[in-house]
Amino acid sequence: MIHLVKLCVGISNVEELESYRNERSHWWGADYGEDVHVHRTRMMPKRFSEIEGVSSIYWVISGLISCRQPILRLAPYTDVEGKSYCDIIMSRDLHRTLPYPKRPFQGWRYLNPKDAPPDLGVDGNEGSEELAADLVRLGLI
């Protein structure tokens, strides 16, 4: 299993991502016949067999990995001009994670499960998300 990590461009917090997800779940014009959230990216991950149905996409918001969404499947998509894309079809569920700093990058990156931040509220990771983010910025966690 391998996860993906992606910058959430134009989104400033998890609540804004939730709102975006609610408004544009099928924004790309691809209807997968279920209540899902779709993100279209240019390249199909080469390790797709390690991702579909078992991994998550970890969203980097304002320089911190802040939440994740389970990936249900990956689907190829070709537009009217013949360009190939990959639709990342995700559950609508957003799981907040312990904030983890991540520098800017382009596209998406693989994330090993051992390097993925834990979900908040699991295994004693309870409390204020803002406090956790402040502690990360101070280098204390």
Side-chain angles (χ1 to χ4, degrees):
M1 172 185 13
I2 193 83
H3 298 296
L4 297 179
V5 63
K6 178 106 175 78
L7 295 180
C8 203
V9 179
I11 301 292
S12 59
N13 55 49
V14 176
E15 292 76 19
E16 197 173 328
L17 177 59
E18 287 172 333
S19 175
Y20 177 87
R21 174 207 60 201
N22 292 339
E23 293 172 12
R24 302 181 180 209
S25 61
H26 294 289
W27 185 65
W28 295 107
D31 187 0
Y32 290 98
E34 57 197 73
D35 196 19
V36 295
H37 182 204
V38 178
H39 178 77
R40 183 163 291 156
T41 188
R42 189 73 176 96
M43 302 299 293
M44 174 70 78
K46 290 183 182 5
R47 299 174 70 176
F48 66 89
S49 64
E50 297 176 64
I51 295 170
E52 289 187 312
V54 294
S55 298
S56 291
I57 188 164
Y58 284 77
W59 292 110
V60 178
I61 301 172
S62 299
L64 298 170
I65 294 176
S66 300
C67 63
R68 67 177 181 86
Q69 277 182 281
I71 298 171
L72 302 173
R73 63 186 182 281
L74 304 171
Y77 179 84
T78 304
D79 69 9
V80 294
E81 296 174 358
K83 283 187 181 176
S84 297
Y85 295 91
C86 172
D87 282 354
I88 302 172
I89 304 158
M90 299 167 284
S91 165
R92 292 176 51 81
D93 299 332
L94 283 169
H95 303 275
R96 291 175 187 263
T97 64
L98 188 66
Y100 184 82
K102 190 73 174 166
R103 297 178 62 86
F105 57 91
Q106 289 188 339
W108 48 263
R109 298 288 184 266
Y110 291 118
L111 179 66
N112 286 314
K114 67 178 178 57
D115 298 327
D119 290 352
L120 282 177
V122 176
D123 297 331
N125 293 318
E126 308 205 17
S128 168
E129 181 180 355
E130 293 81 20
L131 177 60
D134 289 342
L135 292 173
V136 167
R137 286 188 184 98
L138 291 171
L140 299 174
I141 59 173

